Structure formats: structure tokens, C-alpha cells
Amino acid sequence: MNSAALSPEHRAWSAGRMATETFDVLVVGGGITGTGAALDAATRGLSVALVEAADYAAGASSKSSKLIHGGLRYLEMLDFGLVREALTERGLLLTKLAPHLVKPVSFLWPLTHRVWERPYVGAGLLLYDTMGGRRAVPRARHLSRTKALRLAPALRPDALVGAVQFYDAQEDDARMVVCVARTAAAHGAALATSMPMVGMVTSDGRVTGIRARDLLTGADLEIKARHVVQATGAWTSAAAGQDLRVRPSKGVHIVVPRDRIAMAAGLLTRTEKSVLFVIPWGDHWLIGDTDTEWPHDPASPAASHGDIEYLLAKVNRMLIEPLTPADIEGVFAGLRPLVAAQEGADTTRLSREHTVDSSVPGLSVIAGGKYTTYRVMARDLIDAAAADLQAASGGQRAAIGASRTQDVPLTGAAGYAGLLAARQQIAAASGLPVSVVERLLGRYGSDIDGLLGLIAARPALAQPVPGSGGYLGAEIVYACSHEGALRLDDVLARRTRTTIETRDRGLAAAPHAAALMAAQCGWDEDRADAEVARYRELIGAELAGEAQPDDLGAYQAKAGTLQLREVRDGR
């Protein structure tokens, strides 16, 4: 068994270990911080298990702005430490840890004031570039209005007096989580999705494990651990029982076709409370985001019609040809798990720094932070676990080493540069277009060999899945055999991004993808049909929320649709 493949065999092996072993560290949560913590602990030589209630990146880790960035808005807030830390991580990801996944991306910052704004913004971006250290991305450059409009003819001439072009970096957030999880598996971690925690196990005031339910088999199990770490994002307050309190903040993005906005770079512009990004994303633009407190169930964050109208209004202030609701291909909403500072504070002003709480023996909980600094968050979380393990052993345990993940490339990174240089030869040998090989290398890196092997054995898998937005049949199969996909939405929403990249939200692709999954996962016809029906209802719930004017209505519409499905399923 390939230990780096999150295959059905690996999950069964992991579940077997969870039923019998006592782990040094048990991670609850399969987002970027949880998988990062599993990798950090495993590379220190600790025995590690990870459980996730749904799928890798099912929460906020698949619904971010998909940027690896220092955060210019945090620089304006004088949060220099956070910006420096994030820019250091950006450099590591671009050059060493994940060069196949993380790429430079160009933005324009439009200037609207003739006298003071250019030196103010220019000084900030000079500091931003300087804090970024070695030149992993090009430095910022000043543009006249004429040059800016040449780069972005979609912008209204009266919307700017000039611009500054700067660079940050971009990734597919859900794909990176899976790569981190696979890398943890390669270092010996046991991982299982569809394995929700249903309670903590304690002995003499110390957490000694969790009770979990395996949704694939229906089995209940007690997973023993010397230390439990919890990285459950917006669910933290409900599950931790500690002093740490999280205030979830909702961020909404819309997706429109690339040809609807004539720009050769992305866009960052201020709004009344925050900033607006227009981010290049393949054949699309991501436009976002919002930042509003979410007081409802974290399981059902929902974009409202009001959110969509807000984003359209903000971006249309800059465009010659305004966008309309008919242009929208996809919408997604996620929750930032911000650490509450004081009651009533605007979530736009809450710090994005993270906090680790280890006030309960045997348990460490993390909240806050930003996607870019996931590796630092994971390091700090496992540092807390390691300190508790040493203390609990009474000095009998050998010293636990420091984090090593700054030197551990993610799966697919090794050999990527050479393969990219050889992309034309790979295309000729495989029969795939060069553009497809380039896209696959940017998603899988050196793990492209696995996909090419599938295509060589089953040439039909080289064809795009109808309605998927161009994803190959091999990518659907590989998601099941190597990337831990168990449900249809795992594939359409997270292993591929069909759900947000196609105008029908992937409904046309669903039966075709389900058929490919059925052959790989051993589903019968009834199970495949049930997966398609479930996916349609998930999309229906999202659309029901988007038709409502505000958060409460969107939440009630989305949650109500999902509850009806659960009632019909007998749950």
C-alpha cells in the first residue's frame, strides 16, 4: 500500500489503528490547520491520528480567497508581526514547500487621490516587499493612469488617477489541504474522514481521547491519545469547553467568467470597512469578499442575495461594463474562526492572529489565524502538545524535537521544476495537449505520474468529464484512489472546483462523475443515484439561501432544505 495515497485501504488501515492504539497526538479537524498539525507531529516522530467529521477542507479551508499573502490590510492596521510572518511563509511555499501549488499573482491597486495616496501606498508596498525577504515575487511598480488602463481596460477612466502593480501568491485552498494530508500519511499518520467526534474521554481531569463514529461502517469507537489537539475552526466554541471564544466571520465570494472583465492583472481596492479583491482564477475571476459576523450554526454558512448585491455594487463602481447577476457562475461562503477580543467589536477589526489554549490537561485548542500561516499555527499547536506530553511523563519521555515542516516539501513538490521544463515531451508521450499537462502539473506536481498511469491503462480517462469545466476523468478516479474522496461533493466541490466554476454548479457533471466514482469505489447503481440526488439537494440548498435578502433568511432557507433531506434519509 502506498502510504501517501489516501485510498480506501489507507482509511481502513487508519480506522483499525484508531480502534486499538494509543496515539501520542490525536488531531480533531481536517482543515488546513488540522492536517498541518498532523504533518508537524508526524515529522517530529510522534504517533499521530486525525479524524474529520466530513471531508478534508469541508469547512473554511475550501472557501477562502485562495491567496497566500501577507495581508496589505493588516499592514495598514500596523499588525507588522502578522504580515512579516505571513510573508515568510509565502516565500517558503513559493520556493520550497509547494512550488507546484503556489504561484505568483499580479494585482493593481488603483489610486484615487492625486497628491498623498501614491507616496502613502508606495511606501506601504515598499515595506511589504522588503518584509517579504528574498525575491520570491516581483517588486511593486508605479503606473500612470494610461499604463494602468492599458493593463486593465475594463476599468472606468474616472475610477483612478493611477495605480501601483504589486504581487502576491495564489493556490487552490482545498487541493493544498489534501496535499498536506497526503504528506502526513507518508510520514505515518493515520487519517480518517467521515469520522465525527461525538465527545471527549477524560480520566481524573485529563483528556485521554475522544469518542467517534465511523459514518462509513456505523461503528462507534473510542480513540485513545496522550494528547488531543482540536483544530475545528468555527466549531471551536461549541466543542472545546474552554475559555477560548470564537466569533465566526462570514466571507462570501462570487465567480464570473474571465472574459467579462478585460484585465491582465487582478484588482485590490478599498471599501468602507475592508478591501475588495478581483482575483484571476483560471478562466474565471473570484470577487470578494465580505466580512460580517455569523451568529448561526457554523455547519450552514450561507450567502444571501444581499451579499451578492453588495459585491456586485462594489466591483461595478470600478468597471465600464457593469456585471449583473446573470454573469455569476458560482458563489461560496466560508467562516473565519476569529478569536473574540471584546463583545461587540466589528469583525473587520478583530485580529487574524491565532491563539492556542491548553488550559485543560491533555487538550490543546487553536483558533484564529489565516490560511497563509497554517504551518506556523500547526507548529505552535504541536509545541503545546509536546510540552504537555513531556510534563505528563514526569521527565521519563525523551525530548521531543522542534518542528521540521519548514524543510518538508508537500507531496508533488519534488521534481516539479524538471517536469514543468519537460512539459512538451510529457504532452507528446501522453497524447494530452500541452495546456492540459501544464494545468495538471500545477495541480498535482510530480504526482502527475499517477494520473498519466491511469490514462495509459484507461485511455478514456483522458477525456474531460461532460459539464465539469474541463476536468479529466482521470482526476475523478485519482480523487478516489489517492485523495480520500468518499462522496460526490468531495470530488465536485473540493478535489475539482466544478461546483463554483460551472454555471449550473456541477449539476450536469454529477451523473458522469458519479459513474466514474462508482466504478472506483464499488458503488452499485442505487448508491450512485443516491449520491447524485444528494448533490442536487446540496446545490438546491445553496441556491435557496442565495435567493434570500439577508443572513437569517439565507441560513433558514439553506438549513431547512438540508434538514428536510436528513428527515427523508431517516437521520
Side-chain angles (χ1 to χ4, degrees), residues 148-205:
L149 291 174
R150 198 173 296 150
L151 198 63
L155 299 182
R156 287 171 38 206
D158 63 350
L160 70 163
V161 298
V164 182
Q165 183 181 19
F166 71 97
Y167 287 80
D168 253 314
Q170 181 180 55
E171 39 66 72
D172 182 328
D173 48 8
R175 173 143 299 280
M176 181 172 282
V177 173
V178 169
C179 287
V180 175
R182 289 188 62 191
T183 310
H187 286 85
L191 305 100
T193 58
S194 290
M195 182 86 76
M197 178 182 75
V198 296
M200 294 277 186
V201 177
T202 60
S203 177
D204 297 326

Side-chain angles (χ1 to χ4, degrees), residues 238-296:
Q242 297 191 325
D243 295 333
L244 194 65
R245 193 169 69 85
V246 167
R247 286 179 61 190
S249 165
K250 185 180 72 166
V252 174
H253 295 75
I254 59 177
V255 185
V256 302
R258 189 70 174 264
D259 61 11
R260 274 298 283 113
I261 305 176
M263 297 194 301
L267 187 71
L268 180 150
T269 184
R270 288 189 185 90
T271 63
E272 293 83 355
K273 291 186 176 182
S274 184
V275 294
L276 180 80
F277 276 106
V278 181
I279 305 166
W281 177 258
D283 293 333
H284 317 272
W285 295 101
L286 303 182
I287 301 172
D289 65 338
T290 63
D291 191 340
T292 54
E293 187 159 9
W294 181 258
H296 310 295

